[in-house]
Amino acid sequence: METSVRLDDQAILQILKDTGAIRHGHFVLTSGRHSDTYVQCARVMESPRTTVDLAREAALRLPEDVRSSVDLVISPAVGGITFGFAMGYVLGVDFIFAERQAGVMTLRRSFEIPQEANVLVCEDVVTTGGSVKEVCDLVEDAGATVAGVVSIIDRKTDRKFDAPFFPLLGLEVASWTPEECELCAKGGKAESLGSRKLAK
Ligand SMILES: O=P(O)(O)OC[C@H]1O[C@H](OP(=O)(O)OP(=O)(O)O)[C@H](O)[C@@H]1O
Ligand SMILES: O=C(O)c1cc(=O)[nH]c(=O)[nH]1
């Protein structure tokens, strides 16, 4: 794998700030939780070069036995696709994505997961890990193995998946159930930036 200038956590945080990816307001997350902060990784991935730099860093941080075992990368649509594609590129393996059909994470477009594959699940942001868990289930249902999970951001909520997790950057950001949301209590209305509602 080609190496380049390494990115430390400070440099990664600076990329998020410089691209305006870190948004403050009142948001509904895909899990239904509310938050005052949203990381819009799509802003980072406007730059293919930066996206590949981040993917290369994520690949270099993987334990060697994990990195060398990966033969397929899969991402949940839509947010994970660009980063997953870049991970496939730097690892020199194929890339596919899963998408929600009537709310259920599904493999479409004639994509297949080979039974013996060691699959790296790749996300932009992990909050509850619910989306990752759905993709891990698809991998395991195909008889393949989840080699690990990579993301740009780990929002450090309790995770729903058990696979080894290698996030580039952990961010301690508040989130609440809708009932406990401090911003709703002040009468605010939350906006939904993800595509999950649009897919219904
Ligand atoms: O860890 P979780 O609680 O599952 O949340 C993280 C997921 O939410 C976002 O996607 P979203 O469902 O908003 O769809 P999008 O990427 O298509 O906008 C993000 O891209 C992750 O896939
Ligand atoms: O949990 C989510 O839906 C979520 C949080 C976040 O910060 N960014 C994002 O794209 N999705």
Side-chain angles (χ1 to χ4, degrees), residues 28-33 35 37-42 79 124-128 153 155 173 193-194:
V28 188
L29 309 181
T30 197
S31 54
R33 294 181 71 81
S35 182
T37 306
Y38 194 88
V39 187
Q40 185 57 275
C41 284
D124 56 345
V125 178
V126 168
T127 303
T128 64
I153 302 296
R155 289 184 53 124
V173 279
L193 300 184

Side-chain angles (χ1 to χ4, degrees), residues 174-197:
S175 73
W176 312 275
T177 62
E179 299 73 31
E180 292 168 338
C181 177
E182 296 174 5
L183 301 170
C184 285
K186 290 181 192 154
K189 185 157 168 32
E191 62 176 321
S192 177
L193 300 184
S195 73
R196 189 166 185 158
K197 270 196 181 162

Side-chain angles (χ1 to χ4, degrees), residues 13-197:
L13 185 60
Q14 199 58 49
I15 289 170
L16 292 165
K17 288 180 177 169
D18 290 347
T19 54
I22 302 180
R23 307 273 309 272
H24 299 289
H26 182 188
F27 307 102
V28 188
L29 309 181
T30 197
S31 54
R33 294 181 71 81
H34 286 204
S35 182
D36 58 4
T37 306
Y38 194 88
V39 187
Q40 185 57 275
C41 284
R43 295 304 312 272
V44 173
M45 293 182 283
E46 283 178 31
S47 163
R49 187 180 298 269
T50 303
T51 307
V52 171
D53 287 347
L54 288 169
R56 195 171 281 120
E57 178 61 32
L60 288 168
R61 289 191 193 184
L62 288 174
E64 168 57 24
D65 60 325
V66 174
R67 185 170 59 236
S68 59
S69 75
V70 173
D71 39 38
L72 180 68
V73 175
I74 185 169
S75 293
V78 175
I81 291 179
T82 315
F83 189 53
F85 179 90
M87 285 300 297
Y89 174 72
V90 300
L91 291 171
V93 300
D94 284 350
F95 165 74
I96 61 176
F97 61 88
E99 56 202 301
R100 287 204 176 85
Q101 191 171 25
V104 180
M105 197 66 82
T106 310
L107 266 195
R108 301 183 64 226
R109 303 166 201 274
S110 306
F111 286 143
E112 288 177 5
I113 302 172
Q115 209 175 344
E116 301 304 324
N118 274 315
V119 186
L120 187 69
V121 178
C122 190
E123 259 286 24
D124 56 345
V125 178
V126 168
T127 303
T128 64
S131 309
V132 164
K133 170 78 170 75
E134 289 179 73
V135 175
C136 289
D137 289 347
L138 285 177
V139 171
E140 283 161 5
D141 288 351
T145 303
V146 177
V149 177
V150 166
S151 70
I152 300 175
I153 302 296
D154 171 18
R155 289 184 53 124
K156 292 184 162 282
T157 309
D158 284 344
R159 282 199 306 280
K160 291 188 175 167
F161 60 89
D162 301 320
F165 185 32
F166 308 100
L168 273 176
L169 193 68
L171 283 184
E172 303 274 357
V173 279
S175 73
W176 312 275
T177 62
E179 299 73 31
E180 292 168 338
C181 177
E182 296 174 5
L183 301 170
C184 285
K186 290 181 192 154
K189 185 157 168 32
E191 62 176 321
S192 177
L193 300 184
S195 73
R196 189 166 185 158
K197 270 196 181 162

